[in-house]
Amino acid sequence: MKYYIIAGEASGDLHGSNLMKAIYVEDPQADIRFWGGDLMEKTGGTLVKHYRKLAFMGFAEVVFNLKTILNNIKFCKADILKFNPDVIIFIDYPGFNMRIAKWAKALGIKTHYYISPQIWAWKENRIKAIKRDFDKLYVILPFEKDFYEKKHHFPVEFVGHPLIDAIHNRVETDQKTFITENDLDDKPIIALLPGSRKQEITKMLSVMLSVTEDFPEYQFVIAGAPSQEFSFYEPFLTNKNIKFIANKTYDLLSHSHAALVTSGTATLETALFKVPEVVCYKGNWISYQIAKRVITLKYISLVNLIMDEEVVTELLQDNCNRKTIKAELQQLLDATHRKKLIAQYDALENKLGGLGASAKTARLIVNNIRINNS
């Protein structure tokens, strides 16, 4: 059967690659064409467009890049028609994916959404479009099933969180090899995860690195995003206590003592590696002013949202500065605080449903399409 997959971000590339592996198990003859990244490309199939050409973050950035976005939508529709898939699998990335889904559903193409848009955070009125435009919805957060089924009377499948699979299936590098291969020293590591897009990295790295001189007994290691070149990060490497490692975030987290993390999937990844973290976020001023007026959530990190309490500290906008980061990082290094936090991380993992999200989702998709084609 023929599968068209659209993932528009680094996290979507990760989850898309694991979903593709599972689809190939269920359907060894699968013909997969996709928008995604390096991980999906290594898995197989045909890459149409890389996510680094798609990702625009925030309200203002979308407006400034509207022409490019519209051209991508036009190109995507034409490519789908040419490929004629049995199903389109949308992975997160709602601004783009929901427009394609509306068009595709009207043509009678099967539309399955894996990792649903976070309409529980904002734009809840999108539920009307979701009900209209998607044949199947697979959710990965435990509270989403009740949100869709009890509040909006729309049946969904809770498949568990694919990050658990991704972390469990990784090949881990031992500490000595990791330090040697990456030219690190023996100091404990504080990982810096400033995001994957240029605009957020530029904002976040400067403030994260402002505390390096306050912790000389630690080495700060920047997790380089796969979508960015080393030359982009080079100006930030201002002293010997700042190191850089590209495309090895999981290895880095597995050997880190603490972390400063920009909001997003990385906050959950860090927690699943049981690394004490502070969530730091500074956005475009215009985008942030709009967002805080339309988003009514108590928290921005997935860790706190899933647990429905402030497990990890969130430092936002003006409150994200050298003084506050220093104070929160000092607390993370306290043994008693660390023990309590890691116990909360264990409870978080239990809530996420265990292993098998990718396999379960692939099985549901393949079986559904087979039934519809029979």
Side-chain angles (χ1 to χ4, degrees):
M1 293 184 290
K2 299 170 74 174
Y3 307 81
Y4 199 99
I5 304 176
I6 305 175
E9 300 172 299
S11 60
D13 179 41
L14 172 64
H15 302 321
S17 67
N18 287 324
L19 179 64
M20 287 169 64
K21 291 172 187 174
I23 288 174
Y24 283 128
V25 171
E26 298 292 329
D27 181 7
Q29 303 304 314
D31 184 4
I32 303 178
R33 190 169 175 85
F34 61 91
W35 295 45
D38 298 342
L39 296 175
M40 294 174 74
E41 188 171 25
K42 289 177 182 176
T43 303
T46 303
L47 174 64
V48 178
K49 189 162 287 195
H50 201 288
Y51 69 79
R52 70 169 64 99
K53 299 180 180 178
L54 307 175
F56 302 106
M57 176 186 160
F59 300 94
E61 289 80 9
V62 168
V63 171
F64 296 149
N65 293 281
L66 187 58
K67 183 177 179 180
T68 299
I69 294 169
L70 293 175
N71 285 338
N72 283 334
I73 289 171
K74 182 179 179 181
F75 174 79
C76 185
K77 290 177 179 179
D79 196 58
I80 290 170
L81 288 176
K82 184 177 180 181
F83 185 59
N84 190 27
D86 293 288
V87 61
I88 305 175
I89 302 168
F90 303 89
I91 301 179
D92 202 0
Y93 198 50
F96 186 91
N97 276 336
M98 291 187 69
R99 295 188 67 167
I100 298 296
K102 180 180 180 180
W103 165 86
K105 185 65 183 291
L107 294 177
I109 303 172
K110 293 298 178 184
T111 53
H112 288 214
Y113 212 154
Y114 177 44
I115 308 178
S116 64
Q118 297 174 351
I119 66 171
W120 37 265
W122 72 300
K123 291 190 175 181
E124 191 169 343
N125 62 345
R126 281 178 164 176
I127 187 63
K128 296 177 182 177
I130 289 173
K131 287 183 173 182
R132 181 191 66 217
D133 299 332
F134 293 98
D135 296 301
K136 295 290 181 180
L137 187 62
Y138 309 97
V139 301
I140 64 172
L141 299 173
F143 60 81
E144 289 180 317
K145 189 170 178 65
D146 282 350
F147 173 82
Y148 281 105
E149 294 188 344
K150 292 184 178 180
K151 185 173 184 179
H152 292 292
H153 312 291
F154 183 61
V156 301
E157 295 280 357
F158 172 60
V159 294
H161 206 293
L163 275 181
I164 296 178
D165 288 348
I167 291 170
H168 181 267
N169 294 334
R170 80 193 191 281
V171 177
E172 186 171 336
T173 306
D174 68 84
Q175 186 170 6
K176 184 176 180 180
T177 301
F178 178 73
I179 289 172
T180 301
E181 288 182 347
N182 296 286
D183 195 28
L184 304 179
D185 55 42
D186 292 327
K187 293 179 181 178
I189 294 170
I190 295 176
L192 304 181
L193 281 66
S196 59
R197 305 176 184 91
K198 285 187 176 180
Q199 61 262 35
E200 67 180 344
I201 294 170
T202 299
K203 280 184 175 293
M204 296 315 308
L205 259 185
S206 296
V207 67
M208 287 178 173
L209 291 172
S210 68
V211 300
T212 57
E213 294 181 2
D214 298 309
F215 299 90
E217 66 274 32
Y218 293 87
Q219 57 184 324
F220 290 76
V221 183
I222 300 168
S227 56
Q228 307 299 338
E229 301 292 333
F230 172 72
S231 58
F232 175 71
Y233 292 94
E234 199 166 10
F236 296 99
L237 306 179
T238 55
N239 67 58
K240 64 181 181 180
N241 207 32
I242 304 170
K243 308 293 176 59
F244 173 84
I245 298 176
N247 305 330
K248 296 181 182 179
T249 300
Y250 281 10
D251 272 350
L252 174 59
L253 287 174
S254 70
H255 298 295
S256 292
H257 191 68
L260 303 178
V261 187
T262 297
S263 65
T265 304
T267 63
L268 184 55
E269 290 173 313
T270 304
L272 291 174
F273 273 98
K274 310 301 166 67
V275 179
E277 66 181 299
V278 178
V279 177
C280 308
Y281 182 76
K282 276 180 174 288
N284 173 283
W285 187 86
I286 297 174
S287 296
Y288 180 77
Q289 293 303 316
I290 296 171
K292 74 177 185 179
R293 287 165 173 77
V294 299
I295 298 175
T296 58
L297 296 176
K298 290 187 290 185
Y299 309 109
I300 67 165
S301 70
L302 282 173
V303 175
N304 292 343
L305 286 168
I306 293 166
M307 296 299 287
D308 195 27
E309 62 175 300
E310 190 177 34
V311 173
V312 297
T313 299
E314 299 179 353
L315 301 177
L316 311 181
Q317 286 304 99
D318 293 341
N319 196 37
C320 182
N321 56 60
R322 178 177 179 174
K323 181 179 179 180
T324 55
I325 292 174
K326 177 183 177 182
E328 293 298 332
L329 191 51
Q330 285 174 328
Q331 188 173 23
L332 285 189
L333 303 177
D334 174 75
T336 302
H337 181 79
R338 293 173 65 82
K339 184 177 180 180
K340 178 183 176 182
L341 183 55
I342 290 171
Q344 290 174 302
Y345 284 169
D346 290 338
L348 167 73
E349 187 169 354
N350 289 334
K351 274 195 168 188
L352 290 175
L355 292 167
S358 303
K360 183 176 181 180
T361 305
R363 193 176 306 118
L364 289 167
I365 292 172
V366 172
N367 289 342
N368 181 268
I369 300 306
R370 281 177 177 155
I371 291 169
N372 279 290
N373 287 353
S374 61

